[in-house]
């Protein structure tokens, strides 16, 4: 084995060994890592900024020590003094590899910037925000009836608006007197009404009648993506939406690797807390710029997230979530100020965090429950929020069960050889001809199929860069439908499949999707394994809840999550990701967690409702359920080793093929067991 240093790039996961002294930009280019450069490595354009990470990374099998990169040099110093460089950042063209290193490529250094697919879903919400405007006329001070300006403002709010016992933040009190006088004793107050147990609180005062809108943010803080929707608190309109990759990815793509990072590196949890808060502040800056407002215009914030993200965002070490019994520091809803958690908004802005359901079923699942309301459904409804950590709800008006399933990041394009996140140039739709075994596909950024005239010209700017999550699901399902892949997940040889696109790749075969002079996109047997593991975890969680409910089928399935919106129900069922159900009863809710956050932002009653609902949801812990493993093994087959899937089989015919040279382990065996 070579003794050259190992270089691991995140978030792509690409790795390789390079001679000491190799510039990081050179290493990135040789591995096909998405690192931008306009000046050709002369240290002028600064497009190639990277962040080295230090500490122990068990997932990558590497420990990164100080000195892993060459010393800071004069070119970097000159650039930093002239244009500024974020703390911890280096220029990839100047920093050279000196030892094993993990390098994060931030979104702004990637050539193919992410298309974050968390859009605000259209939804009717009854407007009753926590922060409202109240215009009042205040009595002037009187020598004969001495009282403070605040007392008279309180009296006016009580008399004119029936608001009793109104509180005020010190920073608002400090500017109250000049505003009262400037407005000739008439002012507009923004008041946070909170919930029944908390008194109303003045969070801003303007002289006279204030006509400008006030804003709130609904934030879905995911393991991979942070998405935010800026809402006008008076009209409920979504004014701007934006998203970015969660900067914590450099500490681990899945939740448990982040928990282990905090366990193995002193101060690791604090480091991740700082990273996510910085990411959120930078996202808020983007959103304000897009909407043409200032941060001080934002007075309310609702955040939903999974339990590990919840603890890391709040600055709570997630240590206990790394081991049974997976105890949360708190599962209650939280009412805080944004200042307490280091967020740069209006100094008195309020933060509401939805309650968590259980150790690994978070506030994001609570938001999905609020958005999709399984507890109000007469039919048995299965809601699957597909993400790095899938959260699953099953219920009807009788009861609601919930669990989480560690699917890992394969569905998001990570850990897949040609995988990438959803960005222009990524393959997102696939069809494979069952006779010729040739694929046709669509990429993000173009409406044409790859065999349409004009496709090459239409994709010339982006190129064909890889396969995103929805693309890999369709790819594997289409390979199964076309007879290129057997039920056990083996890709056949050219002789077995009749296709020279099946090429020998080590000891197994890979399927050639596309190639050009400088790039080749294949699906390898290891990719199939990654997808099998992820979909088996997802199906097993759903199947476990069905066992607990005492049922073998569900009436309706809702795929939630940014990624859920782009999954083809037929392909998800061929893969065996979801239980057998009529395809017209499988729908997408888009980003249901984000929708739930918006409902909680714009409707105070919804906050009380979800707090009550969460207390009624029964949590199932997959880690201690003996049948989870049994379901997982069965669900590793495509679509499943024992479940019959009669509805699916009435729509498609799955080729009865087996490519295991050692005997029959494929579709034939599965079909015989069905009878």
């Amino acid at each position: 084995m070579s003794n050259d240093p190992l270089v691991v790039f995140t978030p792509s996961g690409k790795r390789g060994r390079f001679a000491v002294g190799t510039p990081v930009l050179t290493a990135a280019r040789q591995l096909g890592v998405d690192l931008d450069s306009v000046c050709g490595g002369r240290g002028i354009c600064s497009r190639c900024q990277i962040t080295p990470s230090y500490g122990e990374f068990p997932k990558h099998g590497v420990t990164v020590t100080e000195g892993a990169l060459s010393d800071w040099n004069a070119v970097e110093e000159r650039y930093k003094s002239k244009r500024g460089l974020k703390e911890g950042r280096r220029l990839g063209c100047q920093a050279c590899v000196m030892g094993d290193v993990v390098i994060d490529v931030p979104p702004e250094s990637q050539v193919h910037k992410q298309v974050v697919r968390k859009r605000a879903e259209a939804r009717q919400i009854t407007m009753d925000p926590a922060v409202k405007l109240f215009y009042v006329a205040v009595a002037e001070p009187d020598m004969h009836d001495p009282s403070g300006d605040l007392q008279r403002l309180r009296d006016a709010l009580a008399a004119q608006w029936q608001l009793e016992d109104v509180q005020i933040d010190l920073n608002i009190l400090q500017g109250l007197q000049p505003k009262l006088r400037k407005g000739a004793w008439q002012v507009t107050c923004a008041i946070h009404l909170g919930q029944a147990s908390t008194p109303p609180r003045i969070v801003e005062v303007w002289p006279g009648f204030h006509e400008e809108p006030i804003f709130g943010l609904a934030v879905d803080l995911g393991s991979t993506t942070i998405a935010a929707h800026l809402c006008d608190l008076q009209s409920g309109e979504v004014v701007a939406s934006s998203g970015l990759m969660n900067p914590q990815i450099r500490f681990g793509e899945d939740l448990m690797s982040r928990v282990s990072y905090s366990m193995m590196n002193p101060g690791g949890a604090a480091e991740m807390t700082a990273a996510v808060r910085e990411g959120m502040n930078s996202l808020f800056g983007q959103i304000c710029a897009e909407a043409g407002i200032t941060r001080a215009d934002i007075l309310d914030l609702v955040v939903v997230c999974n339990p590990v993200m919840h603890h890391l965002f709040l600055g709570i070490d997630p240590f206990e979530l790394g081991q049974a019994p997976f105890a949360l520091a708190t599962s209650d809803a939280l009412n805080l100020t944004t200042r307490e958690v280091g967020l740069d908004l209006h100094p008195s802005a309020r933060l509401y965090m939805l309650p968590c359901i259980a150790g690994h079923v978070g506030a994001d699942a609570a938001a999905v429950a609020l958005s999709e309301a399984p507890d109000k459904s007469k039919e048995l409804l299965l809601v699957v929020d597909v993400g790095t950590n899938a959260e699953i709800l099953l219920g009807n008006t009788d009861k609601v069960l919930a669990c989480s399933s560690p699917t890992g990041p394969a569905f998001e394009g990570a850990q897949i050889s040609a995988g990438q996140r959803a960005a222009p140039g990524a393959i997102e739709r696939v069809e494979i001809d069952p006779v010729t075994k040739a694929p046709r596909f669509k990429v993000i950024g173009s409406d044409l199929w790859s065999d349409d005239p004009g496709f090459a010209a239409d994709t010339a700017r982006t190129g064909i860069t890889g396969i995103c999550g929805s693309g890999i699901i369709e790819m594997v399902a289409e390979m199964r439908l076309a007879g290129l892949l057997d039920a056990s997940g083996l890709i056949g040889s050219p002789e077995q499949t009749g296709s020279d696109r099946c090429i020998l790749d080590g000891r197994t075969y890979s399927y050639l999707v596309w190639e050009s002079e400088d790039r080749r996109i294949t699906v390898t047997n290891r990719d199939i394994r990654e997808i099998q593991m992820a979909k088996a975890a997802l199906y097993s969680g759903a199947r476990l809840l069905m066992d607990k409910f005492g049922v073998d089928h569900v009436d309706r399935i809702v795929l939630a999550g940014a990624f859920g919106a782009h999954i083809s129900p037929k392909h998800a069922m061929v893969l065996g990701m979801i239980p057998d159900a009529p395809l017209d009863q499988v729908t997408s809710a888009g980003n249901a967690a984000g929708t739930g956050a918006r409902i909680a932002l714009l409707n105070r009653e919804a906050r009380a409702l979800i707090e009550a609902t969460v207390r009624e949801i029964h949590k199932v812990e997959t880690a201690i359920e003996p049948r989870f493993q049994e379901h997982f093994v069965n669900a590793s087959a495509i679509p499943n080793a024992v479940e019959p899937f009669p509805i699916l089989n009435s729509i498609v015919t799955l080729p009865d093929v087996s490519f295991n040279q050692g005997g029959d382990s494929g579709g034939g065996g599965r079909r015989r067991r069905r009878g």
Side-chain angles (χ1 to χ4, degrees):
M1 183 177 135
S2 161
N3 288 327
D4 287 340
L6 177 65
V7 182
V8 181
F9 286 93
T10 64
S12 66
K14 292 183 174 171
R15 52 169 58 210
R17 292 191 176 273
F18 294 90
V20 168
T22 304
V24 170
L25 180 60
T26 306
R29 285 184 163 165
Q30 286 181 18
L31 289 174
V33 170
D34 205 5
L35 182 57
D36 205 350
S37 172
V38 173
C39 69
R42 294 188 191 87
I44 300 162
C45 75
S46 89
R47 297 285 189 99
C48 64
Q49 292 183 29
I50 49 109
T51 308
S53 298
Y54 300 92
E56 289 190 39
F57 296 87
K59 177 180 178 238
H60 301 306
V62 68
T63 298
V64 183
T65 56
E66 292 297 327
L69 292 182
S70 58
D71 292 342
W72 180 257
N73 71 14
V75 176
E76 290 172 301
E77 185 53 49
R78 187 188 73 222
Y79 187 84
K80 183 172 185 176
S81 63
K82 283 192 173 167
R83 295 205 221 161
L85 206 55
K86 274 189 188 170
E87 200 56 38
R89 288 267 176 98
R90 299 287 306 269
L91 296 182
C93 61
Q94 301 300 309
C96 296
V97 176
M98 306 304 286
D100 291 355
V101 66
V102 175
I103 289 171
D104 185 57
V105 180
E108 60 268 36
S109 299
Q110 294 171 16
V111 184
H112 304 285
K113 306 283 189 284
Q114 302 303 319
V115 176
V116 177
R117 296 182 149 194
K118 293 199 172 184
R119 286 285 162 259
E121 305 302 316
R123 179 63 66 102
Q124 289 213 311
I125 302 169
T126 307
M127 285 297 297
D128 179 23
V131 178
K132 290 183 181 169
L133 295 182
F134 297 89
Y135 177 65
V136 285
V138 181
E140 293 188 37
D142 183 345
M143 292 282 281
H144 302 290
D145 182 15
S147 63
D149 284 354
L150 174 60
Q151 185 55 51
R152 278 175 285 99
L153 174 57
R154 278 182 170 150
D155 292 344
L157 287 164
Q160 294 161 45
W161 291 102
Q162 291 72 55
L163 290 170
E164 302 291 342
D165 191 28
V166 177
Q167 307 294 304
I168 191 166
D169 283 3
L170 176 61
N171 62 297
I172 306 301
L173 179 59
Q174 286 160 348
L176 178 63
Q177 291 188 303
K179 287 177 179 175
L180 280 166
R181 283 154 183 81
K182 186 179 176 189
W185 303 100
Q186 294 178 347
V187 288
T188 306
C189 298
I191 295 185
H192 182 271
L193 298 165
Q195 282 155 282
S197 57
T198 53
R201 180 172 286 272
I202 301 170
V203 292
E204 185 54 281
V205 177
W206 295 271
F209 181 61
H210 179 78
E211 291 184 88
E212 298 300 312
I214 55 170
F215 298 95
L217 275 168
V219 178
D220 177 9
L221 171 52
S223 322
T224 305
T225 307
I226 310 174
H229 305 299
L230 180 73
C231 300
D232 182 320
L233 290 180
Q234 288 166 289
S235 69
E237 182 194 350
V238 177
V239 181
S241 293
S242 192
L244 48 69
M245 308 312 293
N246 186 333
Q248 287 183 348
I249 280 178
R250 67 176 182 269
F251 303 103
E253 277 167 331
D254 57 273
L255 294 172
M256 293 325 284
S257 52
R258 290 184 208 173
V259 173
S260 71
Y261 182 85
S262 79
M263 287 176 170
M264 299 179 80
N265 295 283
E271 220 181 320
M272 288 187 278
T273 296
V276 75
R277 289 178 180 179
E278 187 187 331
M280 285 174 83
N281 277 325
S282 114
L283 175 60
F284 300 162
Q286 277 178 33
I287 271 208
C288 288
E290 188 185 323
I293 66 167
T294 70
R295 290 170 183 266
D297 294 325
I298 298 171
L299 296 172
D300 201 13
L301 176 70
V302 170
V303 174
V304 301
C305 48
N306 62 52
V308 173
M309 292 310 312
H310 175 277
H311 280 38
L312 286 171
F313 169 59
L314 291 171
I316 300 168
D317 193 319
F319 179 82
E320 293 299 337
L321 293 172
Q323 57 206 348
F326 313 111
L328 287 153
T330 178
S331 58
D332 296 343
L334 295 172
N335 288 284
L336 308 163
T337 66
T338 53
R339 271 188 306 183
E340 286 175 86
V341 289
L343 297 182
D344 180 13
L345 297 171
H346 186 286
S348 287
R350 274 2 201 208
L351 163 64
Y352 176 76
M353 292 192 74
L354 272 72
C356 289
I357 296 175
H360 281 294
V361 188
D364 46 358
V368 171
L370 178 58
S371 169
E372 298 309 306
D375 55 316
K376 308 276 190 301
S377 171
K378 288 191 171 61
E379 305 164 301
L380 186 57
L381 174 63
L382 177 72
V383 185
V384 184
D385 192 353
V386 190
T388 315
N389 196 53
E391 289 173 321
I392 306 166
L393 299 166
L394 176 68
N396 55 20
T397 46
D398 294 341
K399 62 180 172 182
V400 178
L401 308 180
C403 73
S404 76
S405 217
T407 47
F411 287 146
E412 315 223 15
Q415 296 177 345
I416 302 297
S417 60
Q420 66 165 88
R421 301 222 160 79
I427 294 173
E428 62 169 347
R429 301 287 318 280
V430 185
E431 288 177 1
I432 296 177
D433 186 305
V435 179
T436 66
K437 319 290 188 193
R440 66 197 285 258
F441 52 81
K442 276 186 171 181
V443 300
I444 296 174
S446 171
D447 292 329
L448 299 177
W449 285 91
S450 56
D451 55 355
D452 287 340
F455 175 79
D458 203 36
T459 56
R461 191 178 55 80
T462 60
I464 289 120
T465 52
I467 311 174
C468 71
S470 57
I472 196 76
I473 286 172
E474 293 199 12
M475 187 74 74
V476 176
E478 285 284 323
M479 287 172 69
R480 178 77 183 90
L481 286 168
L484 295 162
L485 187 68
D486 69 12
S488 73
L490 274 176
I491 299 172
S493 66
E495 295 74 32
Q496 290 168 319
T497 61
S499 172
D500 57 6
R501 283 180 172 273
C502 294
I503 51 178
L504 193 59
D505 186 357
R507 296 178 57 190
T508 56
Y509 291 91
S510 291
Y511 176 66
L512 176 63
V513 180
W514 182 83
E515 69 178 330
S516 65
E517 288 171 15
D518 60 347
R519 188 183 291 260
R520 173 184 259 204
I521 293 175
T522 60
V523 177
T524 68
N525 238 108
R526 185 170 172 273
D527 296 340
I528 304 287
R529 289 279 173 264
E530 292 286 352
I531 290 296
Q532 282 177 287
M533 296 299 100
K535 73 96 180 180
L538 191 63
Y539 183 85
S540 310
R543 185 66 237 192
L544 195 62
L545 294 188
M546 290 161 70
D547 291 350
K548 294 280 179 190
F549 226 97
V551 295
D552 276 327
H553 68 275
V554 299
D555 299 321
R556 211 154 60 78
I557 299 174
V558 171
L559 297 170
F563 169 59
H566 300 274
I567 298 174
S568 145
K570 181 181 95 171
H571 291 97
M573 214 169 281
V574 168
L575 199 57
M577 266 176 79
I578 52 176
D580 197 45
L583 288 186
D584 61 359
Q585 295 302 307
V586 183
T587 56
S588 158
N591 179 22
T595 302
R598 265 199 314 133
I599 295 170
L601 176 69
L602 299 174
N603 185 291
R604 281 190 306 149
E605 206 175 294
R607 301 184 184 190
L609 175 70
I610 195 58
E611 288 172 32
T613 304
V614 159
R615 286 193 281 273
E616 299 300 316
I617 294 177
H618 178 74
K619 306 88 180 167
V620 176
E621 183 47 73
T622 52
I624 55 169
E625 286 290 338
R627 290 210 68 190
F628 183 80
Q629 199 54 38
E630 179 192 332
H631 287 313
F632 185 88
V633 171
N634 294 334
S636 300
I638 303 172
N640 196 289
V642 295
E643 306 278 345
F645 279 76
I647 299 169
L648 175 68
N649 283 303
S650 71
I651 305 163
V652 300
T653 305
L654 294 172
D656 198 356
V657 291
S658 170
F659 301 136
N660 185 349
Q661 276 75 11
D664 177 23
S665 72
R670 186 176 56 76
R671 293 218 163 168
R672 280 198 295 278
R673 279 198 294 276
R674 186 183 303 152

